[in-house]
Amino acid sequence: MPKISNYPRKPFTTAIEIAENVDKLGAKCSVQLLADKLDRKIGGSFNSSVSAAIKHGLIEKNKNELRLTELYTNIKLAYNEEEKNQNLQKAFLEPDTYKEILQRFDGNEIPIDVLDKILIREYEVKESISQLVANNMIKGGESVGLINNGKVNLNGVDLSETEETEETEETEKTEIQTSE
């Protein structure tokens, strides 16, 4: 059984786009319907995009059905930009690797020059994609205001653990296995 990665391989913006398209399809749809809407084939890149949306807690997958999560709904229905950004920050920090690294460097500059090496040595990210994962983390963190001028600032961000049900864990395992 392949190891399950706890980091997305696609940018945070891609995860948001996937969730937005599931929303446009009625808040739930089949994987095939989403692929058809995006004019893409089900395969490596598409599966990685869907997986990123799952890892960021924006959609869930059960067998072949995708559906929006409460977190995505909270982003979509936020009363103001501040509430929306708080929920975007929560979604960005859903992947354990992102959360752990940003907690580790909170209040300090993130070592961008060696971040890829940290990912390889300490988080078991494959060397071939470590720079991509590092860049996605930096750009995504900047987009939601958690990284400013290279410095991590988690002030006021709720980092309490989210509870995953066995079903969610199992569906994610299935998703990741099919995308690797």
Side-chain angles (χ1 to χ4, degrees):
M1 177 180 281
K3 184 177 187 319
I4 297 172
S5 60
N6 61 356
Y7 53 87
R9 296 172 186 240
K10 294 288 185 174
F12 187 56
T13 53
T14 299
I16 296 288
E17 289 169 10
I18 291 291
E20 288 171 346
N21 280 288
V22 171
D23 190 24
K24 290 175 185 174
L25 290 168
K28 68 178 181 179
C29 64
S30 70
V31 173
Q32 185 64 57
L33 184 60
L34 179 62
D36 291 346
K37 177 176 181 21
L38 297 173
D39 197 28
R40 295 183 58 193
K41 293 183 179 179
I42 295 176
S45 179
F46 175 77
N47 287 342
S48 291
S49 298
V50 170
S51 179
I54 292 169
K55 287 179 184 302
H56 283 293
L58 300 168
I59 64 172
E60 297 172 330
K61 182 178 182 204
N62 189 0
K63 297 186 181 174
N64 200 33
E65 182 182 80
L66 304 173
R67 63 195 131 124
L68 297 176
T69 63
E70 183 178 345
L71 181 55
Y72 175 80
T73 302
N74 290 341
I75 293 167
K76 178 184 170 186
L77 301 177
Y79 289 132
N80 54 47
E81 284 301 311
E82 181 181 343
E83 180 184 359
K84 180 179 181 178
N85 198 55
Q86 287 172 346
N87 285 303
L88 284 168
Q89 289 175 343
K90 285 181 188 177
F92 178 74
L93 291 169
E94 279 290 309
D96 293 336
T97 301
Y98 285 12
K99 184 188 301 184
E100 289 171 19
I101 288 177
L102 268 58
Q103 280 179 304
R104 176 177 172 180
F105 295 105
D106 189 19
N108 298 303
E109 282 195 35
I110 197 159
I112 296 170
D113 55 330
V114 294
L115 184 56
D116 59 332
K117 294 173 183 160
I118 292 170
L119 288 166
I120 295 166
R121 291 179 60 178
E122 299 178 32
Y123 295 92
E124 300 180 22
V125 174
K126 293 178 185 175
E127 187 174 354
S128 61
I129 62 168
S130 62
Q131 192 62 56
L132 174 73
V133 173
N135 290 339
N136 289 344
M137 184 186 315
I138 299 299
K139 287 179 184 173
E142 289 172 343
S143 75
V144 297
L146 295 174
I147 300 173
N148 295 306
N149 298 321
K151 190 172 182 179
V152 178
N153 182 2
L154 298 179
N155 279 346
V157 177
D158 180 13
L159 295 172
S160 59
E161 292 292 317
T162 55
E163 292 184 31
E164 276 193 17
T165 62
E166 287 182 29
E167 177 185 6
T168 303
E169 290 174 355
E170 190 59 38
T171 57
E172 185 173 320
K173 286 178 188 174
T174 303
E175 167 58 31
I176 304 307
Q177 289 172 0
T178 59
S179 69
E180 292 187 345

mmCIF file of all heavy atoms in Angstrom, residues 73-106:
data_model
loop_
_atom_site.group_PDB
_atom_site.id
_atom_site.type_symbol
_atom_site.label_atom_id
_atom_site.label_comp_id
_atom_site.label_asym_id
_atom_site.label_seq_id
_atom_site.Cartn_x
_atom_site.Cartn_y
_atom_site.Cartn_z
ATOM 1 N N THR A 73 -18.287 26.036 2.462
ATOM 2 C CA THR A 73 -19.528 26.798 2.578
ATOM 3 C C THR A 73 -19.314 28.043 3.436
ATOM 4 O O THR A 73 -19.827 29.116 3.120
ATOM 5 C CB THR A 73 -20.650 25.918 3.161
ATOM 6 O OG1 THR A 73 -20.810 24.768 2.303
ATOM 7 C CG2 THR A 73 -21.961 26.665 3.243
ATOM 8 N N ASN A 74 -18.530 27.917 4.515
ATOM 9 C CA ASN A 74 -18.230 29.076 5.359
ATOM 10 C C ASN A 74 -17.419 30.127 4.601
ATOM 11 O O ASN A 74 -17.595 31.325 4.833
ATOM 12 C CB ASN A 74 -17.478 28.652 6.618
ATOM 13 C CG ASN A 74 -18.347 27.868 7.582
ATOM 14 O OD1 ASN A 74 -19.575 27.913 7.505
ATOM 15 N ND2 ASN A 74 -17.724 27.128 8.464
ATOM 16 N N ILE A 75 -16.554 29.700 3.716
ATOM 17 C CA ILE A 75 -15.800 30.644 2.883
ATOM 18 C C ILE A 75 -16.756 31.354 1.928
ATOM 19 O O ILE A 75 -16.760 32.575 1.818
ATOM 20 C CB ILE A 75 -14.682 29.917 2.102
ATOM 21 C CG1 ILE A 75 -13.605 29.393 3.062
ATOM 22 C CG2 ILE A 75 -14.072 30.835 1.031
ATOM 23 C CD1 ILE A 75 -12.634 28.405 2.438
ATOM 24 N N LYS A 76 -17.573 30.582 1.260
ATOM 25 C CA LYS A 76 -18.499 31.116 0.254
ATOM 26 C C LYS A 76 -19.518 32.071 0.868
ATOM 27 O O LYS A 76 -19.845 33.103 0.275
ATOM 28 C CB LYS A 76 -19.214 29.953 -0.432
ATOM 29 C CG LYS A 76 -20.231 30.377 -1.450
ATOM 30 C CD LYS A 76 -20.959 29.187 -2.008
ATOM 31 C CE LYS A 76 -22.140 29.629 -2.849
ATOM 32 N NZ LYS A 76 -22.951 28.506 -3.294
ATOM 33 N N LEU A 77 -20.021 31.737 2.046
ATOM 34 C CA LEU A 77 -21.099 32.517 2.653
ATOM 35 C C LEU A 77 -20.624 33.474 3.743
ATOM 36 O O LEU A 77 -21.427 33.937 4.551
ATOM 37 C CB LEU A 77 -22.165 31.571 3.232
ATOM 38 C CG LEU A 77 -22.825 30.622 2.225
ATOM 39 C CD1 LEU A 77 -23.810 29.702 2.928
ATOM 40 C CD2 LEU A 77 -23.496 31.398 1.099
ATOM 41 N N ALA A 78 -19.358 33.779 3.769
ATOM 42 C CA ALA A 78 -18.820 34.696 4.785
ATOM 43 C C ALA A 78 -19.518 36.054 4.681
ATOM 44 O O ALA A 78 -19.828 36.524 3.590
ATOM 45 C CB ALA A 78 -17.318 34.855 4.595
ATOM 46 N N TYR A 79 -19.745 36.663 5.826
ATOM 47 C CA TYR A 79 -20.407 37.971 5.865
ATOM 48 C C TYR A 79 -19.506 39.103 5.396
ATOM 49 O O TYR A 79 -19.977 40.125 4.928
ATOM 50 C CB TYR A 79 -20.894 38.291 7.282
ATOM 51 C CG TYR A 79 -22.064 37.445 7.729
ATOM 52 C CD1 TYR A 79 -22.054 36.837 8.966
ATOM 53 C CD2 TYR A 79 -23.177 37.261 6.912
ATOM 54 C CE1 TYR A 79 -23.125 36.062 9.386
ATOM 55 C CE2 TYR A 79 -24.246 36.489 7.314
ATOM 56 C CZ TYR A 79 -24.214 35.888 8.566
ATOM 57 O OH TYR A 79 -25.267 35.130 8.973
ATOM 58 N N ASN A 80 -18.192 38.922 5.556
ATOM 59 C CA ASN A 80 -17.264 39.982 5.172
ATOM 60 C C ASN A 80 -15.921 39.362 4.799
ATOM 61 O O ASN A 80 -15.712 38.158 4.959
ATOM 62 C CB ASN A 80 -17.107 41.015 6.304
ATOM 63 C CG ASN A 80 -16.707 40.379 7.620
ATOM 64 O OD1 ASN A 80 -15.797 39.550 7.675
ATOM 65 N ND2 ASN A 80 -17.377 40.774 8.698
ATOM 66 N N GLU A 81 -15.023 40.210 4.310
ATOM 67 C CA GLU A 81 -13.711 39.722 3.858
ATOM 68 C C GLU A 81 -12.883 39.140 4.997
ATOM 69 O O GLU A 81 -12.134 38.187 4.808
ATOM 70 C CB GLU A 81 -12.934 40.838 3.156
ATOM 71 C CG GLU A 81 -13.417 41.122 1.749
ATOM 72 C CD GLU A 81 -13.336 39.915 0.824
ATOM 73 O OE1 GLU A 81 -12.284 39.253 0.752
ATOM 74 O OE2 GLU A 81 -14.357 39.620 0.164
ATOM 75 N N GLU A 82 -13.005 39.718 6.191
ATOM 76 C CA GLU A 82 -12.245 39.208 7.338
ATOM 77 C C GLU A 82 -12.657 37.775 7.676
ATOM 78 O O GLU A 82 -11.814 36.902 7.861
ATOM 79 C CB GLU A 82 -12.442 40.118 8.555
ATOM 80 C CG GLU A 82 -11.650 39.657 9.760
ATOM 81 C CD GLU A 82 -11.859 40.555 10.978
ATOM 82 O OE1 GLU A 82 -12.339 41.695 10.819
ATOM 83 O OE2 GLU A 82 -11.556 40.095 12.088
ATOM 84 N N GLU A 83 -13.958 37.528 7.726
ATOM 85 C CA GLU A 83 -14.445 36.174 8.013
ATOM 86 C C GLU A 83 -14.046 35.209 6.895
ATOM 87 O O GLU A 83 -13.626 34.077 7.151
ATOM 88 C CB GLU A 83 -15.969 36.180 8.177
ATOM 89 C CG GLU A 83 -16.549 34.819 8.487
ATOM 90 C CD GLU A 83 -18.066 34.804 8.557
ATOM 91 O OE1 GLU A 83 -18.707 35.859 8.384
ATOM 92 O OE2 GLU A 83 -18.607 33.699 8.766
ATOM 93 N N LYS A 84 -14.139 35.672 5.661
ATOM 94 C CA LYS A 84 -13.743 34.835 4.522
ATOM 95 C C LYS A 84 -12.272 34.470 4.631
ATOM 96 O O LYS A 84 -11.900 33.310 4.462
ATOM 97 C CB LYS A 84 -14.018 35.567 3.207
ATOM 98 C CG LYS A 84 -13.638 34.766 1.977
ATOM 99 C CD LYS A 84 -13.959 35.520 0.701
ATOM 100 C CE LYS A 84 -13.586 34.693 -0.517
ATOM 101 N NZ LYS A 84 -13.934 35.396 -1.766
ATOM 102 N N ASN A 85 -11.425 35.453 4.931
ATOM 103 C CA ASN A 85 -9.990 35.190 5.009
ATOM 104 C C ASN A 85 -9.654 34.261 6.174
ATOM 105 O O ASN A 85 -8.765 33.415 6.062
ATOM 106 C CB ASN A 85 -9.181 36.482 5.098
ATOM 107 C CG ASN A 85 -7.740 36.235 4.732
ATOM 108 O OD1 ASN A 85 -7.433 35.716 3.673
ATOM 109 N ND2 ASN A 85 -6.844 36.576 5.645
ATOM 110 N N GLN A 86 -10.360 34.386 7.302
ATOM 111 C CA GLN A 86 -10.134 33.474 8.432
ATOM 112 C C GLN A 86 -10.412 32.035 8.008
ATOM 113 O O GLN A 86 -9.659 31.121 8.349
ATOM 114 C CB GLN A 86 -11.006 33.851 9.624
ATOM 115 C CG GLN A 86 -10.558 35.099 10.325
ATOM 116 C CD GLN A 86 -11.551 35.559 11.397
ATOM 117 O OE1 GLN A 86 -12.701 35.101 11.451
ATOM 118 N NE2 GLN A 86 -11.119 36.478 12.237
ATOM 119 N N ASN A 87 -11.472 31.826 7.259
ATOM 120 C CA ASN A 87 -11.801 30.483 6.794
ATOM 121 C C ASN A 87 -10.843 30.007 5.709
ATOM 122 O O ASN A 87 -10.512 28.822 5.646
ATOM 123 C CB ASN A 87 -13.259 30.419 6.330
ATOM 124 C CG ASN A 87 -14.209 30.399 7.503
ATOM 125 O OD1 ASN A 87 -14.127 29.528 8.365
ATOM 126 N ND2 ASN A 87 -15.102 31.369 7.564
ATOM 127 N N LEU A 88 -10.372 30.920 4.867
ATOM 128 C CA LEU A 88 -9.351 30.553 3.885
ATOM 129 C C LEU A 88 -8.066 30.129 4.590
ATOM 130 O O LEU A 88 -7.407 29.166 4.178
ATOM 131 C CB LEU A 88 -9.075 31.717 2.927
ATOM 132 C CG LEU A 88 -10.124 31.964 1.856
ATOM 133 C CD1 LEU A 88 -9.901 33.308 1.173
ATOM 134 C CD2 LEU A 88 -10.143 30.832 0.834
ATOM 135 N N GLN A 89 -7.710 30.828 5.671
ATOM 136 C CA GLN A 89 -6.527 30.454 6.442
ATOM 137 C C GLN A 89 -6.690 29.067 7.047
ATOM 138 O O GLN A 89 -5.763 28.253 7.015
ATOM 139 C CB GLN A 89 -6.257 31.486 7.543
ATOM 140 C CG GLN A 89 -5.748 32.805 7.021
ATOM 141 C CD GLN A 89 -5.587 33.858 8.094
ATOM 142 O OE1 GLN A 89 -6.134 33.750 9.202
ATOM 143 N NE2 GLN A 89 -4.835 34.905 7.783
ATOM 144 N N LYS A 90 -7.871 28.779 7.579
ATOM 145 C CA LYS A 90 -8.126 27.436 8.129
ATOM 146 C C LYS A 90 -7.950 26.381 7.049
ATOM 147 O O LYS A 90 -7.339 25.339 7.278
ATOM 148 C CB LYS A 90 -9.547 27.344 8.701
ATOM 149 C CG LYS A 90 -9.741 28.026 10.008
ATOM 150 C CD LYS A 90 -11.173 27.858 10.481
ATOM 151 C CE LYS A 90 -11.452 28.698 11.706
ATOM 152 N NZ LYS A 90 -12.863 28.597 12.125
ATOM 153 N N ALA A 91 -8.500 26.646 5.877
ATOM 154 C CA ALA A 91 -8.385 25.685 4.777
ATOM 155 C C ALA A 91 -6.931 25.512 4.359
ATOM 156 O O ALA A 91 -6.470 24.387 4.136
ATOM 157 C CB ALA A 91 -9.229 26.143 3.584
ATOM 158 N N PHE A 92 -6.200 26.610 4.266
ATOM 159 C CA PHE A 92 -4.799 26.524 3.877
ATOM 160 C C PHE A 92 -3.998 25.669 4.855
ATOM 161 O O PHE A 92 -3.115 24.921 4.464
ATOM 162 C CB PHE A 92 -4.168 27.924 3.768
ATOM 163 C CG PHE A 92 -2.721 27.861 3.409
ATOM 164 C CD1 PHE A 92 -2.327 27.549 2.121
ATOM 165 C CD2 PHE A 92 -1.738 28.060 4.362
ATOM 166 C CE1 PHE A 92 -0.991 27.452 1.791
ATOM 167 C CE2 PHE A 92 -0.395 27.958 4.041
ATOM 168 C CZ PHE A 92 -0.022 27.654 2.745
ATOM 169 N N LEU A 93 -4.321 25.769 6.139
ATOM 170 C CA LEU A 93 -3.576 25.046 7.179
ATOM 171 C C LEU A 93 -4.065 23.616 7.423
ATOM 172 O O LEU A 93 -3.549 22.934 8.300
ATOM 173 C CB LEU A 93 -3.611 25.839 8.489
ATOM 174 C CG LEU A 93 -2.814 27.139 8.477
ATOM 175 C CD1 LEU A 93 -3.129 27.971 9.707
ATOM 176 C CD2 LEU A 93 -1.326 26.867 8.363
ATOM 177 N N GLU A 94 -5.036 23.151 6.668
ATOM 178 C CA GLU A 94 -5.529 21.778 6.833
ATOM 179 C C GLU A 94 -4.448 20.713 6.612
ATOM 180 O O GLU A 94 -4.361 19.773 7.383
ATOM 181 C CB GLU A 94 -6.719 21.503 5.908
ATOM 182 C CG GLU A 94 -8.042 22.017 6.431
ATOM 183 C CD GLU A 94 -8.549 21.239 7.630
ATOM 184 O OE1 GLU A 94 -8.608 20.002 7.587
ATOM 185 O OE2 GLU A 94 -8.893 21.905 8.612
ATOM 186 N N PRO A 95 -3.617 20.829 5.585
ATOM 187 C CA PRO A 95 -2.561 19.817 5.428
ATOM 188 C C PRO A 95 -1.581 19.898 6.599
ATOM 189 O O PRO A 95 -1.067 20.974 6.920
ATOM 190 C CB PRO A 95 -1.875 20.199 4.116
ATOM 191 C CG PRO A 95 -2.892 21.030 3.377
ATOM 192 C CD PRO A 95 -3.651 21.751 4.447
ATOM 193 N N ASP A 96 -1.326 18.775 7.242
ATOM 194 C CA ASP A 96 -0.452 18.737 8.419
ATOM 195 C C ASP A 96 0.915 19.358 8.153
ATOM 196 O O ASP A 96 1.449 20.069 8.997
ATOM 197 C CB ASP A 96 -0.260 17.297 8.905
ATOM 198 C CG ASP A 96 -1.535 16.698 9.462
ATOM 199 O OD1 ASP A 96 -2.419 17.464 9.894
ATOM 200 O OD2 ASP A 96 -1.639 15.456 9.470
ATOM 201 N N THR A 97 1.486 19.082 7.010
ATOM 202 C CA THR A 97 2.819 19.598 6.709
ATOM 203 C C THR A 97 2.824 21.124 6.733
ATOM 204 O O THR A 97 3.710 21.736 7.324
ATOM 205 C CB THR A 97 3.304 19.088 5.336
ATOM 206 O OG1 THR A 97 3.323 17.656 5.372
ATOM 207 C CG2 THR A 97 4.688 19.595 5.008
ATOM 208 N N TYR A 98 1.842 21.744 6.107
ATOM 209 C CA TYR A 98 1.769 23.208 6.096
ATOM 210 C C TYR A 98 1.609 23.741 7.521
ATOM 211 O O TYR A 98 2.289 24.675 7.925
ATOM 212 C CB TYR A 98 0.583 23.683 5.255
ATOM 213 C CG TYR A 98 0.766 23.575 3.756
ATOM 214 C CD1 TYR A 98 1.815 22.872 3.170
ATOM 215 C CD2 TYR A 98 -0.137 24.190 2.911
ATOM 216 C CE1 TYR A 98 1.946 22.787 1.798
ATOM 217 C CE2 TYR A 98 -0.010 24.124 1.537
ATOM 218 C CZ TYR A 98 1.028 23.418 0.987
ATOM 219 O OH TYR A 98 1.163 23.352 -0.376
ATOM 220 N N LYS A 99 0.691 23.144 8.256
ATOM 221 C CA LYS A 99 0.427 23.616 9.617
ATOM 222 C C LYS A 99 1.673 23.493 10.491
ATOM 223 O O LYS A 99 2.043 24.429 11.200
ATOM 224 C CB LYS A 99 -0.718 22.809 10.242
ATOM 225 C CG LYS A 99 -1.109 23.307 11.630
ATOM 226 C CD LYS A 99 -2.105 22.409 12.338
ATOM 227 C CE LYS A 99 -3.362 22.246 11.583
ATOM 228 N NZ LYS A 99 -4.373 21.446 12.294
ATOM 229 N N GLU A 100 2.339 22.349 10.439
ATOM 230 C CA GLU A 100 3.514 22.122 11.284
ATOM 231 C C GLU A 100 4.663 23.069 10.950
ATOM 232 O O GLU A 100 5.309 23.609 11.844
ATOM 233 C CB GLU A 100 3.970 20.663 11.162
ATOM 234 C CG GLU A 100 3.014 19.692 11.822
ATOM 235 C CD GLU A 100 3.350 18.237 11.529
ATOM 236 O OE1 GLU A 100 4.493 17.938 11.122
ATOM 237 O OE2 GLU A 100 2.451 17.388 11.707
ATOM 238 N N ILE A 101 4.905 23.290 9.665
ATOM 239 C CA ILE A 101 6.007 24.182 9.284
ATOM 240 C C ILE A 101 5.691 25.620 9.670
ATOM 241 O O ILE A 101 6.548 26.323 10.215
ATOM 242 C CB ILE A 101 6.339 24.046 7.788
ATOM 243 C CG1 ILE A 101 7.029 22.696 7.553
ATOM 244 C CG2 ILE A 101 7.226 25.198 7.316
ATOM 245 C CD1 ILE A 101 7.362 22.381 6.122
ATOM 246 N N LEU A 102 4.484 26.077 9.430
ATOM 247 C CA LEU A 102 4.155 27.453 9.786
ATOM 248 C C LEU A 102 4.149 27.656 11.294
ATOM 249 O O LEU A 102 4.584 28.707 11.774
ATOM 250 C CB LEU A 102 2.840 27.886 9.140
ATOM 251 C CG LEU A 102 3.021 28.571 7.775
ATOM 252 C CD1 LEU A 102 3.726 27.719 6.768
ATOM 253 C CD2 LEU A 102 1.719 29.096 7.258
ATOM 254 N N GLN A 103 3.713 26.660 12.054
ATOM 255 C CA GLN A 103 3.798 26.759 13.517
ATOM 256 C C GLN A 103 5.257 26.841 13.959
ATOM 257 O O GLN A 103 5.603 27.625 14.838
ATOM 258 C CB GLN A 103 3.149 25.534 14.184
ATOM 259 C CG GLN A 103 1.651 25.604 14.252
ATOM 260 C CD GLN A 103 1.078 24.360 14.906
ATOM 261 O OE1 GLN A 103 1.331 23.238 14.478
ATOM 262 N NE2 GLN A 103 0.305 24.567 15.954
ATOM 263 N N ARG A 104 6.081 26.032 13.356
ATOM 264 C CA ARG A 104 7.504 25.980 13.709
ATOM 265 C C ARG A 104 8.197 27.329 13.505
ATOM 266 O O ARG A 104 9.044 27.727 14.296
ATOM 267 C CB ARG A 104 8.173 24.907 12.859
ATOM 268 C CG ARG A 104 9.661 24.777 13.023
ATOM 269 C CD ARG A 104 10.146 23.627 12.168
ATOM 270 N NE ARG A 104 11.580 23.537 12.103
ATOM 271 C CZ ARG A 104 12.232 22.618 11.413
ATOM 272 N NH1 ARG A 104 11.561 21.711 10.726
ATOM 273 N NH2 ARG A 104 13.534 22.591 11.400
ATOM 274 N N PHE A 105 7.828 28.045 12.446
ATOM 275 C CA PHE A 105 8.486 29.312 12.135
ATOM 276 C C PHE A 105 7.637 30.536 12.477
ATOM 277 O O PHE A 105 7.968 31.650 12.069
ATOM 278 C CB PHE A 105 8.904 29.339 10.660
ATOM 279 C CG PHE A 105 9.951 28.313 10.343
ATOM 280 C CD1 PHE A 105 9.632 27.159 9.662
ATOM 281 C CD2 PHE A 105 11.262 28.494 10.777
ATOM 282 C CE1 PHE A 105 10.592 26.193 9.389
ATOM 283 C CE2 PHE A 105 12.235 27.539 10.515
ATOM 284 C CZ PHE A 105 11.895 26.385 9.820
ATOM 285 N N ASP A 106 6.559 30.341 13.246
ATOM 286 C CA ASP A 106 5.689 31.463 13.610
ATOM 287 C C ASP A 106 6.498 32.579 14.269
ATOM 288 O O ASP A 106 7.262 32.352 15.198
ATOM 289 C CB ASP A 106 4.582 30.992 14.552
ATOM 290 C CG ASP A 106 3.526 32.057 14.787
ATOM 291 O OD1 ASP A 106 3.434 33.005 13.976
ATOM 292 O OD2 ASP A 106 2.787 31.947 15.787
#
